[in-house]
Amino acid sequence: MYAPQEDTELLAGALSDESVPPGAHVLDVGTGSGALAVEAARRGCRVTAVDVSRRAVCTARMNALRAGVPVRVRRGNLFAPVRGESYDLILANPPYVPAPGRGTPPRGAARAWDAGGDGRLVLDRICREAPALLRTGGVLLLVQSALSGPGPTVGRLRESGMKAAVIRRRRIAFGPVVRGREGWLRERGCSPRPTTRRSWW
C-alpha cells in the first residue's frame, strides 16, 4: 500500500484550490490510505474510493471511520468498480515510476509505483477512461512524474476533448525506488535530476 507522501500533498493542495460544492460526487481512484478521499469527504462531498489492493481498501475504510466521514470504498482495477457512474471530480495518484522488466504487471507493494517501461501503464488508461466518467464541467486532478512524460498526458487528455494544464509543480528528491534505478534511467535517456511531479486538470 502507498503511504501518503509529497505527491499526495501536492494533489491535496490542488483539491483545496477547487471550488467543489458540498454534495459533489468525487472519485478517488487508486486511493491507497484514503487520505485524499477523506479530505474530499471533509468538504462535504459524496466520495467513492477505489483501489486494487485489499490492504489499501481496508486502510481507507479504517481511516474514513477514524475521521468520522462517510466514504464508499470499493476494491477493483481502476474504474471497473464504478462503470456507469459519473462524477464531478476525479482524483488520481496512479503508479508512474518507469520500471525495467518485460511488460509483466507489477506485484505486491510495487503495484503502488511501478508503471511499465515508460511509466505510463496506468496513466494512459486514465487518459482514455476518465473523461467518460466526468459530468459536464467535471474536473480530473492527476499527479505524475516528469519521468513518465507529462506531454503525452496533456495531449491525450486534450484529444479526448478536455482542457488540460499544469496547475501545480514541485521538485521532489528521488526516493529509494527511483534512486535504485538511476543507472537504468540514464541508459534510457532520462534525467538523473530530482523528479518533478505535476498535477493536471
Side-chain angles (χ1 to χ4, degrees), residues 85-90 130-136 138-140 162:
E85 299 183 15
S86 62
Y87 296 90
D88 301 295
L89 175 69
I90 296 176
L133 277 75
L134 283 171
R135 296 174 175 173
T136 302
V139 173
L140 167 66
M162 297 180 69

Side-chain angles (χ1 to χ4, degrees), residues 55-133:
R55 182 172 294 179
V57 166
C58 291
T59 303
R61 285 177 178 152
M62 188 179 310
N63 284 334
L65 189 63
R66 289 173 64 184
V69 292
V71 175
R72 182 180 71 144
V73 185
R74 296 288 180 263
R75 180 174 177 263
N77 191 327
L78 212 57
F79 301 112
V82 293
R83 293 284 180 224
E85 299 183 15
S86 62
Y87 296 90
D88 301 295
L89 175 69
I90 296 176
L91 299 162
N93 185 359
Y96 52 64
V97 178
R102 301 187 175 212
T104 55
R107 299 176 57 84
R111 290 183 300 183
W113 54 80
D114 281 355
D118 59 1
R120 301 199 57 84
L121 186 67
V122 181
L123 282 166
D124 286 341
R125 283 187 60 197
I126 291 172
C127 291
R128 275 195 315 271
E129 300 176 28
L133 277 75

Side-chain angles (χ1 to χ4, degrees), residues 19-45:
S19 55
V20 184
H25 288 242
V26 174
L27 173 64
D28 180 19
V29 64
T31 193
S33 68
L36 293 167
V38 166
E39 187 62 31
R42 282 181 173 143
R43 294 181 61 178
C45 298

